Amino acid sequence: MFHALIPVDDDERRAIEQVETVRSLPGGPDEKSATILHVIEEIETPPDEAGPTLIEDLNESLPELQGLPDSVITAERRLEDAGIETDRQQMVGDTARSILQTAAETDADAIVLGARKRTPVGKALFGSVSQKVIRETDRTVIVGR
């Protein structure tokens, strides 16, 4: 069974493109499975009188406070409608690190990323989750478009 990790952000169009990429891979739906991952960026603040416990508590409650974006629900429904076995994970933390960790934990055969339109200058200034994942993983990375 081919297992894909699909890290989904809040962009529904990009999530659909990622799902369609998985659906288009060789093999029938019964030969594929997918984990949909949604990562919420962790809140980082310098320690103050409130102490780190307040921030740690807030970070732990972020998934419940924010709920699931439509992009995650859409991706999950489209995969299930296609007959592809699907599970979902939500994490709080660094996006690239969370993707790499989940890929290892789920033993994903490939990581299916969504492409963003960014200028070369934008990539150089702000970095890129995709670039970091591609550089640091030993798994196949597919960039859907």
Side-chain angles (χ1 to χ4, degrees):
M1 168 118 13
F2 179 85
H3 185 75
L5 173 62
I6 307 174
V8 175
D9 61 13
D10 294 341
D11 188 311
E12 195 166 2
R13 179 196 52 79
R14 196 168 27 251
I16 291 169
E17 291 170 354
Q18 289 170 270
V19 167
E20 292 306 313
T21 298
V22 171
R23 290 181 62 183
S24 72
L25 294 172
D30 57 335
E31 299 173 80
K32 302 173 194 171
S33 65
T35 297
I36 299 169
L37 172 66
H38 182 250
V39 180
I40 299 168
E41 287 288 332
E42 192 169 42
I43 297 171
E44 293 183 27
T45 61
D48 61 11
E49 288 112 33
T53 305
L54 179 64
I55 298 302
E56 288 168 3
D57 291 345
L58 183 57
N59 281 329
E60 287 177 17
S61 64
L62 277 175
E64 292 81 29
L65 292 174
Q66 287 193 336
L68 289 172
D70 291 340
S71 56
V72 173
I73 295 164
T74 298
E76 190 170 41
R77 283 186 185 146
R78 284 180 171 252
L79 286 165
E80 290 172 351
D81 289 348
I84 298 172
E85 183 182 320
T86 306
D87 71 308
R88 175 184 359 113
Q89 293 189 27
Q90 191 168 20
M91 299 177 75
V92 175
D94 176 76
T95 303
R97 197 169 319 135
S98 297
I99 292 169
L100 295 167
Q101 177 185 336
T102 305
E105 289 172 356
T106 62
D107 196 26
D109 295 298
I111 302 168
V112 181
L113 299 174
R116 288 181 183 216
K117 290 184 181 182
R118 294 177 74 182
T119 66
V121 173
K123 289 178 186 174
L125 289 176
F126 303 111
S128 169
V129 170
S130 297
Q131 288 174 348
K132 186 172 183 177
V133 169
I134 290 167
R135 277 195 327 266
E136 295 186 19
T137 190
D138 59 351
R139 299 172 195 286
T140 300
V141 176
I142 302 168
V143 180
R145 198 60 216 184

